[in-house]
Amino acid sequence: EGERLYLGFDFGTSGARFAIIDKDGAIRAEAKREYPLYLNGESQDWVRSWKETLFSLLEDVPLDIRKHVVAISIDGTSATTLIVDSYTGEPLWRPFLYNESCSDALPVVKSIAPPNHTVCTGSSTLCKLVSWWNHVGSDKKPALLLHQADWLLWLLHGKLGVTDYNNALKVGYDPEVDSYPSWLVCQPYYHLLPSVLAPGTPIACLKEEVGNKYGFQKDCVVCTGTTDSIAAFLAARASQPGKAVTSLGSTLAIKLLSNTRIEDSRFGVYSHRLDDKWLVGGASNTGGAILRQLFTDNQLEKLSEQINPSQPSPLDYYPLPKAGERFPVADPNLAPRLHPRPENDVEYLHGILESIARIEAKAYELLKELGATQVEEVFTAGGGAKNEKWIKIRERVLGLPVSRANQTEAAYGAALLAKKADQQNIPS
Ligand code: ADP
């Protein structure tokens, strides 16, 4: 009785999961599901897969805690875009996936947006919208643009046309002045754009039919979400300026909480708003992909055990899976450098791990040069985070405290957004 729990969903590229947390952030339940395969003609019916997965996961929530859930949020893949009927909410078109490029729209988008704006890439939400708009021509039903997370949240609350300023960044929303910019407002498709709230803001109560069917309370509130990578950052609870998360997956991605907003398209560096702060990020092509080309995960573990992390490695590499780097060096032709290879694989791996750490240090240095708050502490996520020796090497090279993040699941970050929404009123 009286316990308040928070439910967060993460909709990733291959499946979805949820986490339920209490007021102290302790996990009370979690589950995950792969997306079922539904073919619609030749192609996967993504919308049906997502919808079905959402309701299957609701059924996976343990019965005894459902009535204690007071707020729900969802994160989705950034720039995954749906065009829906503005009366029924049903998709009018197959969804545009996060990584899909609509480069046909790029010349038009470049002609209306400021130079080097985030929307000036073929996979931006705005390019997807413009591509659809031009393709469909004059015979259009009243339509609305939603991001993946917005549409899934709508299935739960039923109020059409709401998003958050993290998801809206790639359609051109300006989070600094908190409005769509004038160059977008004057476009003929402006009326398709959703209204924008801060992530973790209550939208409406859970639809009665959903609440009744699954046994959630009727004043359970559904609130705005965010993108998957921001939710993963939130999970690490790096909530002070100067705290950062390095993600060591296939690539090396860094995110730093900063008091200042920085953007530099040469390096692919941009900032997301998080309340009164900025989440600054950039991604290098170095990372685990090259490790996986050279070693199995088992070899990585065995070889790493033998590394002495307090000893600097003299080997100076630039490990890349193929030519080309964006951040912290903007050079589309930068060649991988992995030679000379010592006979001893422990020394080789040590040199690679240390070289990646030097790239990480350079990345944080560059963010500072571009005007971001100085990094003070680094949490680590991704497959490389379990490597204790690498953490020690990175501490030495970065000259900062480095640790593995306690929580790295985006679903946990979404649950924190639901917690944030609790105690806030639903905006009228
Ligand atoms: P992604 O989701 O980006 O594909 P993951 O976060 O699952 O990547 O991490 C996988 C990567 O982690 C692989 O590229 C692999 O080389 C790397 N990895 C796995 N085990 C270790 C280890 N012990 N030390 C360093 N890297 C590791």
Side-chain angles (χ1 to χ4, degrees):
E1 219 4 77
E3 191 183 24
R4 303 180 78 75
L5 300 178
Y6 309 98
L7 168 56
F9 289 97
D10 163 52
F11 279 75
T13 52
S14 63
R17 48 173 88 215
F18 74 75
I20 296 180
I21 63 170
D22 66 17
K23 64 174 189 351
D24 302 318
I27 295 174
R28 299 292 300 276
E30 330 178 66
K32 64 174 178 188
R33 282 186 182 248
E34 313 259 285
Y35 298 133
L37 182 71
Y38 291 120
L39 294 180
N40 185 352
E42 296 275 274
S43 61
Q44 160 85 316
D45 187 344
W46 286 109
V47 170
R48 186 172 167 198
S49 301
W50 298 332
K51 180 176 178 176
E52 196 135 313
T53 303
L54 174 65
F55 289 104
S56 304
L57 284 172
L58 276 182
E59 282 176 4
D60 294 340
V61 176
L63 278 168
D64 56 319
I65 63 171
R66 290 185 194 182
K67 63 177 179 299
H68 297 295
V69 173
V70 295
I72 303 176
S73 186
I74 302 180
D75 75 71
T77 49
S78 173
T80 296
T81 308
L82 288 108
I83 308 289
V84 305
D85 183 303
S86 56
Y87 296 111
T88 67
E90 290 309 316
L92 292 172
W93 204 255
R94 64 167 191 84
F96 296 93
L97 298 185
Y98 65 102
N99 58 355
E100 208 175 314
S101 184
C102 293
S103 39
D104 57 301
L106 204 47
V108 179
V109 167
K110 280 187 169 162
S111 73
I112 58 171
N116 296 325
H117 193 280
T118 327
V119 297
C120 297
T121 156
S123 60
S124 75
T125 313
L126 187 58
C127 280
K128 287 162 180 161
L129 171 60
V130 170
S131 173
W132 176 81
W133 182 262
N134 291 336
H135 184 89
V136 172
S138 56
D139 181 31
K140 293 182 189 76
K141 283 193 183 173
L144 201 58
L145 177 144
L146 291 177
H147 307 93
Q148 181 189 29
D150 311 334
W151 189 76
L152 290 162
L153 285 163
W154 167 75
L155 292 174
L156 301 179
H157 62 67
K159 206 167 131 183
L160 259 183
V162 187
T163 188
D164 63 85
Y165 54 59
N166 296 154
N167 270 300
L169 192 77
K170 288 184 180 170
V171 83
Y173 189 78
D174 183 343
E176 192 147 14
V177 293
D178 227 341
S179 62
Y180 288 105
S182 53
W183 56 264
L184 200 49
V185 173
C186 62
Q187 299 305 321
Y189 40 78
Y190 170 65
H191 62 279
L192 272 79
L193 298 180
S195 62
V196 182
L197 297 169
T201 305
I203 301 167
C205 286
L206 187 63
K207 273 158 82 173
E208 212 173 303
E209 69 210 66
V210 179
N212 288 342
K213 181 167 177 198
Y214 296 92
F216 290 88
Q217 48 175 290
K218 70 174 190 310
D219 51 358
C220 173
V221 79
V222 182
C223 60
T224 50
T226 184
T227 66
D228 55 351
S229 58
I230 292 179
F233 178 86
L234 295 174
R237 307 195 88 162
S239 42
Q240 303 291 316
K243 309 263 176 189
V245 175
T246 297
S247 177
L248 296 171
S250 307
T251 61
L252 179 150
I254 71 172
K255 287 202 163 61
L256 166 69
L257 201 62
S258 169
N259 288 314
T260 44
R261 178 188 195 179
I262 62 168
E263 314 266 323
D264 195 316
S265 59
R266 286 173 303 166
F267 299 110
V269 166
Y270 64 98
S271 301
H272 269 291
R273 185 173 161 189
L274 282 178
D275 297 319
D276 58 346
K277 301 180 193 72
W278 296 93
L279 181 53
V280 174
S284 162
N285 292 334
T286 193
I290 183 67
L291 291 174
R292 195 154 266 176
Q293 282 178 17
L294 297 166
F295 304 108
T296 65
D297 286 5
N298 196 29
Q299 284 174 318
L300 283 176
E301 212 176 306
K302 291 274 148 14
L303 294 170
S304 296
E305 276 168 19
Q306 299 172 61
I307 292 174
N308 175 1
S310 56
Q311 175 108 50
S313 167
L315 298 165
D316 181 27
Y317 301 141
Y318 206 110
L320 293 170
K322 58 181 192 327
E325 174 68 309
R326 182 104 186 261
F327 172 77
V329 182
D331 178 358
N333 302 316
L334 186 73
R337 189 170 73 240
L338 281 155
H339 287 280
R341 178 172 182 158
E343 300 227 328
N344 182 325
D345 272 346
V346 176
E347 280 172 39
Y348 191 41
L349 179 62
H350 188 169
I352 296 172
L353 296 181
E354 185 136 349
S355 298
I356 295 177
R358 285 192 287 258
I359 295 168
E360 182 184 3
K362 199 167 170 203
Y364 282 113
E365 239 164 70
L366 177 62
L367 293 186
K368 181 166 179 243
E369 279 164 28
L370 297 174
T373 300
Q374 161 110 42
V375 58
E376 283 168 7
E377 181 175 8
V378 178
F379 301 102
T380 315
K386 60 172 169 281
N387 190 325
E388 291 295 336
K389 296 292 174 78
W390 202 2
I391 290 204
K392 293 238 166 60
I393 292 171
R394 292 168 54 225
E395 276 201 310
R396 173 169 48 75
V397 172
L398 293 167
L400 294 169
V402 178
S403 59
R404 191 174 169 178
N406 280 332
Q407 298 293 339
T408 56
E409 285 301 340
Y412 187 91
L416 287 172
L417 281 181
K419 180 163 155 328
K420 176 186 167 200
D422 190 22
Q423 319 296 357
Q424 293 180 56
N425 295 323
I426 293 174
S428 50

